[in-house]
């Protein structure tokens, strides 16, 4: 999955808003990326996000408004536009990427979408992006991407890395699932040496997994179960629905607040709804661990 990693610039550090003679009072033009791709979005939709509502309030009374996000990725913003309009998951884009053989590009767009969502304060969007990333890895049968590990742990600035802490938790679970045997020991030591903080998070994950009496060899972090119920036998093979969501601590074993509005129309045990906390173990549906991508 080697490719140039896109950089998502926090919107709070670069977003600007200017008047424009184009567009009516109900439409806002958003200019995204260095090539200035244009998106025309209804004002009421943008105003549903607090970040954009605050900026639109500054332009109240103007007949045409342009918001400039030239440090962002247009493909990532297209995912945001879809979510803003539909308030649903992103399975459509996974289907399209699979058909167009562009899953690697979508992978990094989803990572950037999580960071963008964190920067504009949209926790629900962060969770949708995390769900889609899990689904994409499952669909493609991918191992954890070493470039993703390196980017999150060594190249992100501290603020961005903190915003991606749920992604970090998932990365740790993926590494433990794919590298938790003796044969991968030397590769693990290399990764720990390169990525500050990873060893501590990994050891903490193993400790919690051990307390849950489940096997780390089988519990697959790509699999999201349709429930947060700790008593479910399915959790031997996947993670509770909200394990990698922003509200994971608050929701406990309760119903995911996004379940109705963001889940796909049809439930599939392989692609829908279950994520588990880092205290649960990772199992694959086939019962076998992936080979380590670091060896």
């Amino acid at each position: 999955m080697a490719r140039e990693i896109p950089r998502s610039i926090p919107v709070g550090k670069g977003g600007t808003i200017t008047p424009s003679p184009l567009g009516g009072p109900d439409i806002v033009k958003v200019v995204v990326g260095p090539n200035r791709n244009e998106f025309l979005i209804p004002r009421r939709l943008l105003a549903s996000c607090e970040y954009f509502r605050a900026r639109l309030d500054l332009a109240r009374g103007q007949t045409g408004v342009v918001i400039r996000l030239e440090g962002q990725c247009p493909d990532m913003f297209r995912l945001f536009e879809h979510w803003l309009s539909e308030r649903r998951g992103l399975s459509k884009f996974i289907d399209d990427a699979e058909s167009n053989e562009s899953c690697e590009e979508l992978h990094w767009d989803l990572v950037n979408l999580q960071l963008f969502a964190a920067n504009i304060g949209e926790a629900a969007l962060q969770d949708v992006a995390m769900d889609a990333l899990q689904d994409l890895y499952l669909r493609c049968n991918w191992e954890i991407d070493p470039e993703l590990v390196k980017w999150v742990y060594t190249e992100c600035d501290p603020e961005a890395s903190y915003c991606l802490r749920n992604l970090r938790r998932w990365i740790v679970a993926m590494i433990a699932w794919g590298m938790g045997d003796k044969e991968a020991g030397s590769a693990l030591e290399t990764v720990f040496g390169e990525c500050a903080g990873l060893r501590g998070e990994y050891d903490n994950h193993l400790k919690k997994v051990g307390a849950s009496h489940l096997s780390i060899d089988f519990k697959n972090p790509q699999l999201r179960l349709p429930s947060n119920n700790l008593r479910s036998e399915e959790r031997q093979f996947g993670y509770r629905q909200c394990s990698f969501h922003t509200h994971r601590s608050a929701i406990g074993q309760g119903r995911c607040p996004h379940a109705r509005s963001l889940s796909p129309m049809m439930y599939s045990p392989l692609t829908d709804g279950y994520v588990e906390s880092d205290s649960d173990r990772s199992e694959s549906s086939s019962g076998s661990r992936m080979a380590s991508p670091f060896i």
Side-chain angles (χ1 to χ4, degrees):
M1 201 186 297
R3 63 183 296 267
E4 182 179 356
I5 302 173
R7 299 292 187 263
S8 181
I9 300 174
V11 290
K13 298 179 181 179
T16 60
I17 183 167
T18 59
S20 169
L22 301 176
D26 298 327
I27 298 295
V28 176
K29 179 192 291 186
V30 183
V31 178
V32 183
N35 293 328
R36 300 179 180 178
N37 297 62
E38 296 182 356
F39 296 81
L40 298 178
I41 301 179
R43 182 187 292 258
R44 63 176 180 79
L45 285 180
L46 272 183
S48 66
C49 292
E50 183 177 352
Y51 172 85
F52 289 105
R53 182 166 62 250
R55 280 143 186 82
L56 291 173
D57 285 345
L58 297 176
R60 189 181 299 276
Q62 296 179 10
T63 57
V65 170
V66 176
I67 294 178
R68 303 185 185 279
L69 300 172
E70 295 176 0
Q72 300 296 325
C73 172
D75 290 336
M76 177 280 295
F77 195 82
R78 192 166 290 110
L79 300 177
F80 168 71
E81 181 185 34
H82 171 82
W83 174 82
L84 194 65
S85 302
E86 303 294 332
R87 299 288 174 161
R88 299 191 62 81
L90 301 174
S91 57
K92 167 186 180 297
F93 292 91
I94 298 176
D95 293 339
D96 292 346
E98 188 174 34
S99 299
N100 300 331
E101 298 184 349
S102 59
C103 290
E104 293 181 9
E105 288 76 9
L106 179 61
H107 171 270
W108 291 106
D109 291 335
L110 290 171
V111 173
N112 272 336
L113 183 62
Q114 287 194 57
L115 184 55
F116 178 77
N119 285 321
I120 65 173
E122 290 294 332
L125 179 56
Q126 276 188 271
D127 298 337
V128 167
M130 185 68 250
D131 288 352
L133 191 65
Q134 289 176 273
D135 291 348
L136 181 64
Y137 267 72
L138 183 67
R139 182 82 64 90
C140 297
N141 193 30
W142 281 343
E143 304 148 349
I144 189 65
D145 184 358
E147 290 298 319
L148 175 61
V149 179
K150 180 180 178 182
W151 183 70
V152 170
Y153 280 89
T154 69
E155 299 180 23
C156 277
D157 60 62
E159 179 183 354
S161 185
Y162 178 78
C163 289
L164 296 174
R165 59 194 178 277
N166 293 305
L167 176 59
R168 289 171 65 124
R169 187 176 295 114
W170 179 74
I171 287 173
V172 167
M174 283 289 290
I175 291 175
W177 178 56
M179 301 181 66
D181 53 35
K182 294 180 180 179
E183 295 178 1
S186 60
L188 268 176
E189 291 303 318
T190 299
V191 174
F192 291 152
E194 294 175 347
C195 301
L198 178 57
R199 178 187 287 277
E201 294 174 16
Y202 178 84
D203 289 344
N204 186 54
H205 173 73
L206 291 187
K207 180 180 179 181
K208 292 183 176 180
V209 163
S212 67
H213 304 295
L214 299 172
S215 172
I216 201 168
D217 292 343
F218 303 111
K219 192 174 183 61
N220 185 350
Q222 300 167 347
L223 291 176
R224 291 180 292 110
L225 304 182
S227 165
N228 285 316
N229 188 348
L230 284 173
R231 292 181 296 276
S232 172
E233 291 299 320
E234 292 176 291
R235 76 187 186 96
Q236 298 180 53
F237 304 98
Y239 279 72
R240 291 186 296 121
Q241 188 174 17
C242 298
S243 289
F244 305 110
H245 284 180
T246 55
H247 52 248
R248 57 182 287 274
S249 297
I251 203 67
Q253 296 188 54
R255 178 180 174 84
C256 175
H258 309 323
R260 179 164 298 179
S261 61
L262 300 179
S263 295
M265 293 294 290
M266 300 286 290
Y267 166 69
S268 165
L270 294 182
T271 59
D272 284 3
Y274 179 116
V275 180
E276 169 169 338
S277 78
D278 53 4
S279 63
D280 291 333
R281 316 246 194 112
S282 337
E283 276 189 17
S284 70
S285 58
S286 62
S288 62
R289 179 189 286 131
M290 283 182 170
S292 167
F294 295 94
I295 298 176

